[in-house]
Amino acid sequence: MYMDFEHIYTVDLPETYELIKNLRKFVHRITKKFGDYERVLIGELYSEYEAFRKYYRTNGERILHFPLNTYLNGIKEYYNASFYRHLITSAINVVPTGETMNWNSDNHDRYRKGLWFNEEYEYMYVTMVMLLPGVAYHYYGQEIAMTGCEVREDQHIDTHLDTYTKTLRDAARTPMQWDDSLNAGFSNNHKTYLPVCPNYWRLNVEKQKREENSRYNMFKKMSHLRKRETLRHGDVKLFTVSAWVFAFTRSLEDRETFLMITNLGTETEIVDLHISIKGLPAHMKVEIASQNSGYKNGDKVSVHPGMKNVFTLRPASTVVLSAM
């Protein structure tokens, strides 16, 4: 298989950077000629950190506007808070000064997080991507936490690939689930190119539009939150609140602070946030809460040190808090 070999003579070559550098110059000329909006180059790549850095700049010259950061994408096992803190820190540190980070967690080549793990994990990753600094990329269906589904052997389309790889790819490419009608509203044909996931009757856009705290409506709220100055320009600090509780803050002087906290584990966690995160206000407001969290948008949460009302997180739940 491809991954069984070291491709030292075929990937991340000096000639590759040179080619893309010339493409960027061409794109810049097109932008300059028409002057309406800037064109950008986005590169899909799976490189180690040092090679990844060079796709931003090589020998002082800019290469890609956005090399796709796929480090969250390939995760398919349960990892603890320390793992995520280390991975995200490493990914942020590799970006050259003056360039913009980007994040994504699902794509067309792998199982969706909802299939590797569960729908709650899918939502957790979407929230993380939306609130970390930089550009957020989303694969279709992540807005509603689509899980994807296994595809029968006789339904596979990627027949030129090995069985393992084509299974991953086809499972991630099933039709978008718009509603609970025929083929989830994706097609009027009797049969679609790939089968519709059986859970479309309950997991679809139209159904979630009508539910106040649905993943779809939370996605819309996060899209609006991203326009806030703190999330556009604020710094980020990462925390391991406990072995399985991961959190990060986004803050900016004279602006509100946001705290995302998620329980990566399979047991309810009761935590004192002030033990791990210094300087939090005594009270914070719930901006966004996953459906399984037990919290609602607008809830007031007491996080004052020493208070008996400690913060509780259900398994695989995610909450975003804010305060001035």
Side-chain angles (χ1 to χ4, degrees), residues 63-82:
I63 311 297
L64 290 169
H65 292 80
F66 299 113
L68 280 181
N69 161 23
T70 56
Y71 299 116
L72 289 174
N73 195 288
I75 296 174
K76 57 185 180 181
E77 299 178 37
Y78 287 97
Y79 290 110
N80 61 20
S82 295

Side-chain angles (χ1 to χ4, degrees), residues 2 14 30 67 72 107 149 151 163 175 180 211 227 231 237 244 252 257 274-275 277:
Y2 180 86
I30 296 296
L72 289 174
N107 72 9
C149 57
V151 176
T163 300
D180 61 2
E211 299 171 354
K227 298 177 182 179
L231 293 180
K237 294 179 181 177
W244 289 97
L252 186 66
T257 293
H274 278 271
I275 292 178
I277 307 175

Side-chain angles (χ1 to χ4, degrees), residues 207-313:
K207 186 173 187 295
Q208 292 195 18
K209 279 183 177 180
R210 299 190 297 268
E211 299 171 354
E212 182 180 355
N213 294 318
S214 68
R215 287 149 181 156
Y216 171 82
N217 283 315
M218 291 304 98
F219 187 91
K220 288 179 64 177
K221 184 171 176 59
M222 282 189 280
S223 298
H224 289 296
L225 279 181
R226 283 177 56 82
K227 298 177 182 179
R228 304 272 187 94
E229 289 296 305
T230 300
L231 293 180
R232 292 179 62 197
H233 305 295
D235 65 7
V236 61
K237 294 179 181 177
L238 310 171
F239 304 93
T240 51
V241 177
S242 71
W244 289 97
V245 174
F246 171 67
F248 63 84
T249 58
R250 299 292 312 280
S251 58
L252 186 66
E253 188 175 2
D254 296 327
R255 302 287 181 177
E256 70 268 69
T257 293
F258 292 96
L259 166 66
M260 175 191 158
I261 182 167
T262 187
N263 182 359
L264 302 161
T266 55
E267 298 86 21
T268 296
E269 292 268 357
I270 301 174
V271 296
D272 183 344
L273 294 177
H274 278 271
I275 292 178
S276 301
I277 307 175
K278 306 302 181 185
L280 289 178
H283 303 281
M284 301 188 78
K285 181 180 75 171
V286 175
E287 288 281 355
I288 297 168
S290 60
Q291 289 178 313
N292 64 328
S293 68
Y295 295 97
K296 302 188 301 295
N297 295 354
D299 282 352
K300 297 296 189 298
V301 178
S302 298
V303 294
H304 193 281
M307 292 184 67
K308 293 183 179 180
N309 295 329
V310 290
F311 191 71
T312 302
L313 271 178

Side-chain angles (χ1 to χ4, degrees), residues 19 23 42-43 48 54 66 69 86 96 104 108 121 123 125 128-129 160 168-169 209 219 248 252 267-268 279 297 299:
L19 171 64
L23 283 174
I42 301 171
E48 297 299 326
K54 292 180 181 178
F66 299 113
N69 161 23
H86 174 73
N104 72 91
H108 59 290
Y121 249 69
Y123 184 90
Y125 273 91
M128 191 182 300
V129 166
H160 67 287
L168 297 182
R169 288 159 62 97
K209 279 183 177 180
F219 187 91
F248 63 84
L252 186 66
E267 298 86 21
T268 296
N297 295 354
D299 282 352

Side-chain angles (χ1 to χ4, degrees), residues 53 88-96 101:
R53 178 193 293 270
I88 293 171
T89 299
S90 300
I92 290 174
N93 288 343
V94 82
V95 178
M101 190 47 164

